[in-house]
């Protein structure tokens, strides 16, 4: 059997487990194409450019063809009411994996791959990598028996590639549980760069602070945009009314990002005559919301506490500007509206 003629599709996040899986399958001689998924919520590695960068770097080093799929609007739609619910926070892990595998199945058919493989490890992720849930995901995605998990395959039922003799069970591993030590040791043996040995796949939806912000966004916004989800990563966030939210920059870099990302028609506020954060009001700005935003800006400015300050209010994308005088908002009220 010439494995160089057996085309396979590997899911590569750029994290340690998927990197090891790709290296193992390459060592076995298969013809590999890798598929990298991205979403507005992925934080797959510690690399500054994220999972796409790490995945593309590995594919380049191994001279593998790589395809990238961005799960954007359809992912946000699913997030409102995932069929299999959420994990500890707002992470829809089972529905996420089903969505990924369905798309991977289409790519597998397009390129003529015989099976898909991943870096999943039994028991590592309690919501999506327990045996019963792996089985559920396979069934729902229409890929029953076509997903090989080389790091844990020796602990799982034989897959179609095994039954057909494309893979020998003796070549598969039996890693399980949440410890990363077996993968780290294996990574060193396979030449994974030292800085990647501790990196693991991640999702902002498992972070309780980010999850709270995302929950607020989908609760108060009919059709959240990808840009709005990306803005959840920066600044302090305050829900000042059903129709308005305030974002406050925490440093110069965030102030610049907020000003740059401000949607046309939104409102930008800054305190005059003192060091001031960039404050963005997204939404209708009704019923005193702009005054509230000005008071929040005063609270985080360098102005003396409890002093009256002048704030400049500008409509993003226009030259429309006005000034008003406000006193800073007290911390007790701030804590009540913080997201």
């Amino acid at each position: 059997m010439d494995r160089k003629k057996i085309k396979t599709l590997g899911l590569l996040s750029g994290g340690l487990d998927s990197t090891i899986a790709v290296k193992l399958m390459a060592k076995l001689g298969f013809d590999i194409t890798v598929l990298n998924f991205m979403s507005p919520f992925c934080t797959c590695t510690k690399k500054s450019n994220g999972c796409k960068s790490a995945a593309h770097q590995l594919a380049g080093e191994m001279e593998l063809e790589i395809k990238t799929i961005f799960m954007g609007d359809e992912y946000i739609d699913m997030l409102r009411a995932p069929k299999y619910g959420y994990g500890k926070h707002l992470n829809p892990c089972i529905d996420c994996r089903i969505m990924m595998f369905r798309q991977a199945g289409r790519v597998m058919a397009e390129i003529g791959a015989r099976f898909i493989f991943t870096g999943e490890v039994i028991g590592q992720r309690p919501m999506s990598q327990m045996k019963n849930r792996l089985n559920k995901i396979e069934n729902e995605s229409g890929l029953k028996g076509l997903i090989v998990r080389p790091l844990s395959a020796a602990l799982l039922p034989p897959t179609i590639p095994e039954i057909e003799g494309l893979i020998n069970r003796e070549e598969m591993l039996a890693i399980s549980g949440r410890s990363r030590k077996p993968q780290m040791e294996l990574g060193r043996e396979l030449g994974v760069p030292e800085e990647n040995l501790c990196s693991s796949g991640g999702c902002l939806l498992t972070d309780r602070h980010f999850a709270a912000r995302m929950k607020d966004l989908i609760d108060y916004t009919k059709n959240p945009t990808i840009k709005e989800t990306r803005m959840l990563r920066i600044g302090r966030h305050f829900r000042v009314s059903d129709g308005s939210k305030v974002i406050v920059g925490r440093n110069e870099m965030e102030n610049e990002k907020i000003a740059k990302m401000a949607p046309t028609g939104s409102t930008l506020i800054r305190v005059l005559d003192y060091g001031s954060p960039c404050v963005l009001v997204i939404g209708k700005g009704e019923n005193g919301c702009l005054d509230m935003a000005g008071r929040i800006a005063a609270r985080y400015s360098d102005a003396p506490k409890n002093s009256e300050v002048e704030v400049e209010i500008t409509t993003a994308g226009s030259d429309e500007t006005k000034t008003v005088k406000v006193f800073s908002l007290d911390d007790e009220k701030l804590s009540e509206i913080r997201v």
Side-chain angles (χ1 to χ4, degrees), residues 216-261:
D216 173 84
L217 181 64
I218 60 179
D219 282 348
Y220 289 97
T221 309
K222 185 176 181 180
N223 295 303
T225 65
I226 294 169
K227 183 176 182 179
E228 286 175 314
T229 66
R230 287 174 173 158
M231 292 191 75
L232 300 178
R233 301 182 184 218
I234 58 176
R236 302 176 177 90
H237 290 238
F238 302 90
R239 173 60 58 183
V240 294
S241 75
D242 287 356
S244 298
K245 182 173 72 170
V246 172
I247 303 176
V248 182
R250 291 174 291 194
N251 51 51
E252 185 176 352
M253 181 180 71
E254 288 194 345
N255 289 340
E256 291 175 358
K257 283 185 177 181
I258 290 170
K260 186 176 180 180
M261 296 176 73

Side-chain angles (χ1 to χ4, degrees), residues 136 266 269 331:
K136 184 189 298 290
S266 60
I269 296 176
D331 288 349

Side-chain angles (χ1 to χ4, degrees), residues 16 20 23-24 27 173 175 181-194 197:
L16 177 59
I20 290 175
K23 285 185 171 286
L24 283 172
K27 191 174 180 180
L173 304 180
I175 300 174
K181 290 182 180 179
Q183 292 95 304
M184 292 173 69
E185 292 174 4
L186 187 55
R188 292 188 180 94
E189 292 175 13
L190 293 171
V192 177
E194 192 71 24
L197 289 178

Side-chain angles (χ1 to χ4, degrees), residues 5-6 9 74 113 140 144 238 252 263 299:
K5 295 180 180 179
I6 301 174
L9 180 67
E74 73 275 23
E140 287 277 347
K144 184 63 178 176
F238 302 90
E252 185 176 352
R299 162 61 180 81

Side-chain angles (χ1 to χ4, degrees), residues 52-333:
K52 181 178 179 181
S53 175
H56 277 255
Q57 181 178 335
L58 178 66
E61 291 172 355
M62 297 182 67
E63 299 182 348
L64 302 176
E65 179 183 359
I66 183 168
K67 298 178 181 293
T68 300
I69 292 177
F70 180 74
M71 302 187 297
D73 293 333
E74 73 275 23
Y75 195 102
I76 296 172
D77 289 341
M78 174 272 288
L79 190 58
R80 286 185 178 278
K83 179 178 179 180
Y84 293 104
Y86 305 106
K88 186 176 180 180
H89 298 296
L90 203 69
N91 44 309
C93 299
I94 295 176
D95 293 82
C96 174
R97 297 301 288 179
I98 291 169
M99 179 179 287
M100 291 171 63
F101 279 123
R102 284 176 177 167
Q103 297 198 45
R106 290 192 281 270
V107 175
M108 181 180 75
E110 288 170 6
I111 68 173
R114 300 285 295 275
F115 60 87
I116 293 169
F117 69 88
T118 79
E120 292 169 297
V121 171
I122 292 175
Q124 187 172 107
R125 299 188 186 281
M127 188 172 182
S128 64
Q129 293 184 16
M130 307 305 287
K131 284 186 179 182
N132 63 326
R133 289 170 180 173
L134 292 176
N135 186 57
K136 184 189 298 290
I137 291 166
E138 284 195 16
N139 288 332
E140 287 277 347
S141 62
L143 294 170
K144 184 63 178 176
L146 291 172
I147 302 174
V148 175
R149 300 173 173 90
L151 276 66
S152 293
L155 302 173
L156 293 167
T159 58
I160 291 173
E162 285 185 72
I163 295 170
E164 293 180 344
L166 305 182
I167 293 174
N168 298 323
R169 173 148 292 231
E170 294 74 21
E171 298 171 326
M172 300 289 98
L173 304 180
I175 300 174
S176 66
R178 306 197 70 173
S179 173
R180 308 286 293 169
K181 290 182 180 179
Q183 292 95 304
M184 292 173 69
E185 292 174 4
L186 187 55
R188 292 188 180 94
E189 292 175 13
L190 293 171
V192 177
E194 192 71 24
E195 64 268 19
N196 288 351
L197 289 178
C198 293
S199 61
S200 60
C203 174
L204 285 168
L205 296 171
T206 64
D207 178 271
R208 67 184 180 92
H209 299 292
F210 184 89
R213 292 181 177 187
M214 189 63 205
K215 180 70 165 56
D216 173 84
L217 181 64
I218 60 179
D219 282 348
Y220 289 97
T221 309
K222 185 176 181 180
N223 295 303
T225 65
I226 294 169
K227 183 176 182 179
E228 286 175 314
T229 66
R230 287 174 173 158
M231 292 191 75
L232 300 178
R233 301 182 184 218
I234 58 176
R236 302 176 177 90
H237 290 238
F238 302 90
R239 173 60 58 183
V240 294
S241 75
D242 287 356
S244 298
K245 182 173 72 170
V246 172
I247 303 176
V248 182
R250 291 174 291 194
N251 51 51
E252 185 176 352
M253 181 180 71
E254 288 194 345
N255 289 340
E256 291 175 358
K257 283 185 177 181
I258 290 170
K260 186 176 180 180
M261 296 176 73
T264 299
S266 60
T267 304
L268 291 166
I269 296 176
R270 68 182 183 92
V271 178
L272 298 177
D273 302 322
Y274 296 97
S276 171
C278 179
V279 174
L280 171 65
V281 184
I282 298 177
K284 300 174 183 178
E286 79 283 23
N287 300 327
C289 290
L290 295 184
D291 180 73
M292 176 73 78
R295 297 180 67 192
I296 294 172
R299 162 61 180 81
Y300 288 105
S301 75
D302 293 337
K305 190 174 182 180
N306 297 324
S307 63
E308 187 179 46
V309 298
E310 190 171 26
V311 298
E312 180 182 70
I313 302 173
T314 304
T315 301
S318 77
D319 297 325
E320 183 181 337
T321 300
K322 66 177 182 179
T323 59
V324 296
K325 290 185 178 181
V326 299
F327 287 91
S328 64
L329 194 66
D330 65 79
D331 288 349
E332 183 177 351
K333 181 61 178 178

